[in-house]
Amino acid sequence: MTLIAPRVTAGLPAEDAQTLQYALKGSSDITVFVDGTVHRLPDTARDAVIDLLGRFSRGESVTVSSVEEMLTTSKAAELAGISHTYLRNMTDRGEIPVEYRGTHRRIRLADIMAWLETQKKKTAAETAADADSAGVEDDGRTDGS
C-alpha cells in the first residue's frame, strides 16, 4: 500500500483538548452534520473518528492519510484473468502503470479495474460491430429464397 497526501494537524490547545476529552468520556456515539444533514457513521468510520478525536483530546498532533491498495503482478493478473507474463509485458509497454518497490513491480488496484473496464467496453463495441456487419450480410444475400 502506498501513502497518499498525508495531512498533519497540530494538537489542540490544552483548554480545547480538555473540553473534547470531557465530551468523549464514555461516549461512542458520533453524529456528523454535513450541510445541516445528520449522518450516522458506520462502525469502522465511527471508530476511526473516535480514535482521531481521542488523540486530539490528549493534545497530540495527528497525521491523516489514505492508502491505495497496491497489488503484486501475480495478484493483479489473477484479478484480470490473464497470465502474469502477459501483464508484465503490458507494464513494459506502458499499457498499465506500474511502480517498483526495489525490483518488485506493484500495480494499483484502480489501474487494473480501469483496464478491465476498458476491455469490457472494447468487447461490447466489437460485439455490436459484429452484429451490425452480420445483419448487413444477411440482408444482402441473394441465395434464391
Side-chain angles (χ1 to χ4, degrees):
M1 293 190 196
T2 186
L3 227 56
I4 303 171
R7 177 182 173 167
V8 178
T9 304
L12 295 175
E15 186 178 313
D16 292 339
Q18 189 175 16
T19 302
L20 181 57
Q21 192 171 39
Y22 178 76
L24 290 172
K25 191 169 278 206
S27 178
S28 63
D29 180 34
I30 299 295
T31 304
V32 177
F33 289 88
V34 179
D35 290 331
T37 302
V38 176
H39 295 277
R40 184 159 309 278
L41 297 176
D43 291 346
T44 53
R46 183 201 66 224
D47 293 345
V49 169
I50 289 173
D51 181 60
L52 175 74
L53 294 174
R55 292 169 191 264
F56 276 130
S57 76
R58 293 187 298 273
E60 299 174 16
S61 295
V62 177
T63 301
V64 177
S65 66
S66 301
V67 291
E68 187 171 65
E69 189 168 358
M70 300 296 284
L71 305 173
T72 63
T73 53
S74 295
K75 290 277 186 192
E78 181 181 333
L79 179 65
I82 58 178
S83 75
H84 65 275
T85 303
Y86 182 69
L87 179 64
R88 282 195 311 266
N89 289 337
M90 288 194 323
T91 64
D92 289 343
R93 292 189 301 265
E95 295 173 28
I96 293 182
V98 66
E99 290 183 22
Y100 285 88
R101 301 287 187 267
T103 59
H104 301 281
R105 299 170 202 232
R106 295 293 180 261
I107 299 167
R108 285 185 176 89
L109 174 61
D111 290 335
I112 286 296
M113 299 310 287
W115 180 81
L116 285 169
E117 188 62 32
T118 301
Q119 295 306 304
K120 264 194 227 176
K121 288 177 182 174
K122 190 174 174 183
T123 301
E126 288 171 357
T127 302
D130 289 346
D132 286 347
S133 66
V136 170
E137 289 173 12
D138 290 342
D139 292 340
R141 280 195 200 156
T142 55
D143 59 10
S145 41

